[in-house]
Amino acid sequence: MLFAFSVAPLGAGESVTDSVAEAVRIVRESGLPNRTDAMFTTIEGEWDECMDVIKRATEAVGAGGHRVSLVVKADIRPGRTGELDGKVERVEAALAADEAELGHS
């Protein structure tokens, strides 16, 4: 299962970098496959282990304030692993096939 989440303190001023860095540190220390971009951190694993990481990251972000914003999106595909990279690889392969087809028309 893939879980993409964004967590940030509310009322923390202009920059949330330090709080978000602490959340990402927790994710990386979890050992779960993960990727962080400008909008979300995505982790891959089973329900309980992913939700535990999201909870701990959220609690860390909230430690310095009184309110936290959390957005979570999940792709639940039991029995599948390696989807953090697999989904992207399939899209890239489809694009490459389209380009090859257009190049030979």
Side-chain angles (χ1 to χ4, degrees):
M1 299 175 203
L2 296 175
F3 292 86
F5 73 101
S6 173
V7 60
L10 297 177
E14 185 70 23
S15 177
V16 297
T17 301
D18 291 340
S19 294
V20 171
E22 183 57 29
V24 172
R25 183 176 296 109
I26 288 166
V27 169
R28 291 182 179 173
E29 289 174 354
S30 76
L32 294 175
N34 67 83
R35 181 174 295 132
T36 299
D37 61 37
M39 297 291 292
F40 287 94
T41 294
T42 304
I43 56 178
E44 182 171 13
E46 297 301 321
W47 271 108
D48 292 341
E49 61 189 355
C50 288
M51 293 309 287
D52 176 63
V53 170
I54 293 169
K55 179 182 178 186
R56 289 188 291 118
T58 302
E59 288 171 343
V61 166
H66 64 281
R67 193 171 183 184
V68 176
S69 172
L70 172 65
V71 176
V72 179
K73 180 174 172 132
D75 182 356
I76 301 165
R77 298 177 80 180
R80 299 289 294 258
T81 59
E83 291 299 293
L84 189 65
D85 294 319
K87 289 179 76 169
V88 175
E89 290 167 359
R90 288 190 297 276
V91 169
E92 292 296 337
L95 291 170
D98 289 347
E99 288 176 12
E101 186 177 307
L102 291 173
H104 292 99
S105 297

